[in-house]
Amino acid sequence: MKTPPAPGSRTAAYFPGHGHDDYTVGAYDLELDYRVGPNRLAGTARLSATAAAPLTRFALDLGPFRIGRVLVDGAPARFRHWRGTLTVTPARPLDPGAFTVEVRYTGNPSPVRSHWGGLGWEQLTDGSIVAGQPTGAPSWFPCNDRPGDKARYRIAVTTASAYTVVANGRLTGKSSAGANTTWVYEQDEPTATYLASVQIGRYRSAELDGPVPQHVHYPAARERRVLHDLGRQGQMIATFCELFGPYPFGAYTVVVADDELEIPVEAQGMSIFGTNHVDGERGEEPLIAHELAHQWFGNSLTVAHWRDIWLHEGFASYAEWLWSENSGGAPASEHARRWHARLAGGSKDLVLADPGPRHLFDDYLYKRGALALHALRRATGDDAFFRTLRAWTAGHRHGSVTTEEFTALAARHAGRPLDDLFSAWLYRRPLPQLP
Ligand SMILES: [Zn+2]
């Protein structure tokens, strides 16, 4: 039997080029000037960081921009920018504790190449999108690109006034000068780099009714479809609050970009869909539920290591079935039976708690993760299962999580060891039978 991977072993094992262990970032302050037509970005990033040990130099992740200057604690620092890594050597070695870095950079943001195609800042037909998961953040700002290093964000974007700019958190400022408008957003809750986001387009905006404020931005021509398809989102939030615990952020923002998107994109406090995800008939409502559920599972509770991705995708996929069950559709058990049969008939299997970087976003992983949760629910009963979910989101709110923390919590709420169940579902390849 495969034993659980040791928590806390090598930070960036799945993406060795991304993320650094020797410091953490507490806040990112990004001032961005963006020209939509030529796709030209000029940025100043100020990072408030903490060194874990004395540092003679440190590294940031950043794509192929021209670097204007780098300041550390206000003093010019030497730097070397090579293959996505900006190595900074301060004039004087840093003591353990707080320090600041300022980086000025300009260029044409280009997606980070990956197994899943381009990631990060991408041009749309008339605007731009950020799809950062898992390693796209350095396409638009210098960062410590690992999911376990969560920080506050202030994002100020200046662009032509014809465009709406949407970023994470609260809109705290909007001012126009000449033909340009500056939009300032602040996200106070700790946010992983891949969930930082800027969306730019010619959007109309509306508010939806529900238990938390919901903003929606969309192309005017799609208004009827968008408002119809999101018509049950308020009810969905209420249902998930009951099942998962309080909604983790002050508001929820949905952007429907004016292009087709292969898949929806999650961001902190926000989800981004393409025109192909709104058919005017709620045909993609499961996706709306899935992305919303990521606000709890992925965004508030974020994996410390990518290998634990099932804690995001398995949970969000199970949330689709829970929404079905709670909104007059098929019960979760029916979805589970159907998907179990489909997965059992396929040739694929993997270790859910350590699938390997290439399988992070496989549909098999999503559905097997949902089935693992359904198996837990069947084994422990609804009461213990949903108490586990609420204790999970409460205990790790805005934190970092591992599979081992979840399995220990579930066993505690079950009042008995669940080692056999979890080793079969999470740490061994063959697909187990549903209990
Ligand atoms: Zn997802």
Side-chain angles (χ1 to χ4, degrees), residues 266 290-291 294 312-313 316 366:
E266 72 247 35
H290 180 109
E291 297 307 316
H294 274 311
H312 298 181
E313 300 303 347
Y366 285 41

Side-chain angles (χ1 to χ4, degrees), residues 370-391:
L371 287 168
L373 288 172
H374 193 67
L376 173 64
R377 182 178 170 189
R378 290 275 279 268
T380 64
D382 278 13
D383 186 54
F385 176 74
F386 288 106
R387 269 193 292 113
T388 301
L389 292 192
R390 287 188 291 271

Side-chain angles (χ1 to χ4, degrees), residues 280-315:
E281 295 172 7
R282 297 195 180 139
E284 301 291 358
E285 202 176 56
L287 289 181
I288 294 171
H290 180 109
E291 297 307 316
L292 174 63
H294 274 311
Q295 301 304 323
W296 285 264
F297 308 111
N299 302 8
S300 173
L301 281 69
T302 310
V303 295
H305 309 282
W306 285 114
R307 63 169 172 262
D308 290 319
I309 188 74
W310 85 278
L311 293 173
H312 298 181
E313 300 303 347
F315 284 59

Side-chain angles (χ1 to χ4, degrees), residues 149-217:
D149 191 10
K150 299 169 75 169
R152 288 193 314 279
Y153 283 77
R154 178 183 173 277
I155 302 175
V157 180
T158 302
T159 197
S161 299
Y163 296 94
T164 298
V165 175
V166 186
N168 314 94
R170 295 167 293 130
L171 178 66
T172 56
K174 185 184 169 189
S175 56
S176 297
N180 297 319
T181 299
T182 300
W183 306 66
V184 183
Y185 286 87
E186 293 182 53
Q187 177 84 53
D188 300 325
E189 293 84 1
T191 297
T193 47
Y194 82 90
L195 294 169
S197 187
V198 171
Q199 307 294 327
I200 301 176
R202 296 179 194 264
Y203 298 135
R204 182 174 285 181
S205 304
E207 306 289 312
L208 305 180
D209 290 332
V212 299
Q214 298 161 73
H215 316 298
V216 50
H217 309 277

Side-chain angles (χ1 to χ4, degrees), residues 7-68:
S9 62
R10 177 110 178 82
T11 293
Y14 276 15
F15 303 103
H18 288 254
H20 312 279
D21 279 331
D22 47 3
Y23 69 94
T24 54
V25 181
Y28 290 89
D29 186 338
L30 309 177
E31 307 253 353
L32 309 175
D33 187 287
Y34 183 67
R35 303 294 111 191
V36 173
N39 184 37
R40 182 97 188 138
L41 181 66
T44 301
R46 295 182 194 88
L47 282 59
S48 305
T50 302
L55 292 179
T56 54
R57 59 181 188 172
F58 59 90
L60 297 166
D61 303 301
L62 180 63
F65 291 96
R66 177 143 22 94
I67 310 298

